[in-house]
Each structure stands twice: as C-alpha cells, then as structure tokens.
Amino acid sequence: MAMATALSLETSSKEYKQARQSARRLAPRLRQHKVCRLETEALGDCQFIAIARTAGLNMKHGELRQQICNYLELLPDIFGDFWEGHFADFTHYLAYMRSDGNWGDYLTLTAAANLLLRPIWVITDATNDASAMIRINPVDLISSEEWDEPLLIVHYGERHYEATAPMLPPAVGGYPSQRAVKEEIKKET
C-alpha cells in the first residue's frame, strides 16, 4: 500500500510540475494575442467546446461536432485521404468522430475553419517557438476575402483544448477573471 501511495504522489507531483511549466509557456503567448484562457471541460469534447465558446456560437458542442462531421462527409474527395487513427476507412472515422467524448483532430479543426469561414489559430505550450502557434486556414477553394478574423484556441499537454476570451485593456475595467467568464458561459448553457 505504501508503494502505491508513493507512486501516486510521484505521478501527481510530475503532473503538477508539467502543468506549471505549460502555463508559463502559454502566458506570454496569450498576452501577445490579448486573450485569456477559459477553463474547458476535459471530457474528450474539449476541441468542439473550445471552438463553439470562442466563436460565440449559439449551439452546444455536440451540434457543432455533428455539423463538422456532416461537412466532412459531404466532401470525401477533399478530406477522405487525411483522416487519422486506426480506422478501416473514412466512413468508420466519421462514425467514431460523431460520438461525444471522442477527441477532435487536425481534420476536424480544418473542417471547422471551413464552416466558420475563419482561420483557427491554435496557441500551444510547445517548447519551441516554431510550434507555438498552429495556423489552420480554410481550404484554398474559399477566397481569403471571405474569411472572418482568426479564432484563437489553446492546446496544451498534447491532449487538451481550451477556449479563449479577449482581454480587456486595464483602461476599460481591467482583465476579466476566468471565473467571471466561466460563470457567464454557464448561464448561457
């Protein structure tokens, strides 16, 4: 029993240290883009939640997930060769991705950028600056003149996405607390 407790404490300590390092790397990147990170549930739907909240969409994350999958399904010639994972084919990939709790991927981010007609910029906690920002643009078939402003979301720990909100300049009442923004989101759902 003592061995299990020691291992558990060691694992918790490592996770805490990694989370602190991740937050340190993210902080200046978030400030640079004048956004703050919003706590997002880590239940496998975080990519869809982050996109829906950050974009201010009037829909639940499950609805967004289904619209993204429907979009992918309509364009197998464009997206059918890019799915990831251990699936027999694109149809199996889509069936998996339609289910709540399954992690979104680069393909779902690309489809979301197309549907929203706006680039999605993913601010990461990568240790090198070259990977600190991943820019996903709508496909070239959509004129960039039609695009809206980029949507910024956060990805850290190589497994979790979070929404962002604009920081208010101090002259306009200071920076919003994550708790206040989170409470406002809860009221909307």
Side-chain angles (χ1 to χ4, degrees):
M1 184 67 131
M3 175 74 98
T5 302
L7 285 173
S8 177
L9 289 174
E10 184 179 325
T11 300
S12 294
S13 176
K14 285 180 185 177
E15 288 173 355
Y16 177 74
K17 184 178 178 182
Q18 288 172 341
R20 285 185 39 189
Q21 290 170 342
S22 176
R24 280 192 202 114
R25 287 190 299 272
L26 282 170
R29 296 169 186 169
L30 294 168
R31 277 194 306 273
Q32 176 185 354
H33 294 283
K34 297 179 176 70
V35 295
C36 62
R37 197 171 91 183
L38 301 179
E39 194 173 308
T40 304
E41 296 84 6
L43 302 172
D45 299 309
C46 59
Q47 184 188 96
F48 303 97
I49 295 169
I51 293 168
R53 284 187 184 160
T54 303
L57 301 178
N58 190 20
M59 67 174 59
K60 303 274 188 198
H61 64 84
E63 294 172 67
L64 177 62
R65 177 190 288 272
Q66 295 310 312
Q67 287 191 16
I68 287 171
C69 290
N70 291 342
Y71 181 80
L72 291 168
E73 186 176 42
L74 288 172
L75 300 167
D77 293 340
I78 294 174
F79 298 109
D81 292 334
F82 298 103
W83 53 274
E84 302 172 345
H86 306 285
F87 306 101
D89 56 29
F90 190 54
T91 304
H92 286 98
Y93 165 82
L94 288 173
Y96 171 83
M97 199 53 70
R98 285 184 190 283
S99 298
D100 284 345
N102 294 329
W103 293 10
D105 57 18
Y106 189 84
L107 194 54
T108 54
L109 285 170
T110 303
N114 292 346
L115 281 171
L116 297 173
L117 291 177
R118 61 194 298 187
I120 296 178
W121 292 2
V122 183
I123 302 170
T124 76
D125 65 345
T127 55
N128 63 35
D129 288 338
S131 299
M133 173 77 78
I134 299 167
R135 290 176 170 85
I136 300 164
N137 292 324
V139 293
D140 292 338
L141 301 172
I142 302 170
S143 169
S144 61
E145 294 172 6
E146 301 296 322
W147 299 355
D148 201 348
E149 293 295 314
L151 178 79
L152 280 79
I153 60 175
V154 174
H155 187 245
Y156 69 93
E158 295 187 23
R159 64 178 180 246
H160 185 61
Y161 288 90
E162 288 195 334
T164 65
M167 288 184 180
L168 298 174
V172 191
Y175 297 103
S177 75
Q178 287 186 352
R179 182 175 303 175
V181 175
K182 188 175 179 183
E183 291 301 319
E184 190 62 33
I185 290 169
K186 281 183 182 177
K187 290 178 191 174
E188 294 171 5
T189 56

